[in-house]
Amino acid sequence: MKVVAKRDSREGCPAQIAPFIPERVPVTISREYEVHALATFGGMTFFQIVDDFNYPSWEPAWLFQVVEHEVQTDWKCNV
């Protein structure tokens, strides 16, 4: 799965997401990121990406637009 960063801050985000977004997120707007995992907590979806500091990072899906929906064949789902 691949996403493109559409936002890099919490400006304009829904109130329930704001606590999970720092003032600035280490992503570059319009840059494509590979999603390594995703999780849903409290009705909010988070993507695990490697951020611009080259660290694994869980970020709210609200920051991104999905550009490739296909997931890796080794992904597993657990509820």
Side-chain angles (χ1 to χ4, degrees), residues 52-77:
D52 289 355
F53 295 133
N54 211 28
Y55 287 104
S57 177
W58 285 98
E59 303 296 347
W62 179 81
L63 296 167
F64 302 95
Q65 176 182 354
V66 177
V67 293
E68 186 179 301
H69 293 85
E70 209 170 291
V71 297
Q72 299 295 324
T73 57
D74 62 348
W75 277 32
K76 301 203 183 326
C77 179

Side-chain angles (χ1 to χ4, degrees), residues 3-78:
V3 295
V4 170
K6 291 299 186 184
R7 301 167 184 92
D8 65 355
S9 72
R10 69 174 94 150
E11 185 178 325
C13 75
Q16 72 269 24
I17 297 174
F20 299 99
I21 302 176
E23 198 169 312
R24 285 278 173 224
V25 180
V27 297
T28 303
I29 293 175
S30 298
R31 181 176 171 199
E32 187 173 272
Y33 296 87
E34 184 168 348
V35 176
H36 297 280
L38 65 87
T40 301
F41 301 102
M44 292 178 285
T45 301
F46 293 81
F47 295 144
Q48 185 184 52
I49 61 162
V50 175
D51 66 23
D52 289 355
F53 295 133
N54 211 28
Y55 287 104
S57 177
W58 285 98
E59 303 296 347
W62 179 81
L63 296 167
F64 302 95
Q65 176 182 354
V66 177
V67 293
E68 186 179 301
H69 293 85
E70 209 170 291
V71 297
Q72 299 295 324
T73 57
D74 62 348
W75 277 32
K76 301 203 183 326
C77 179
N78 189 5

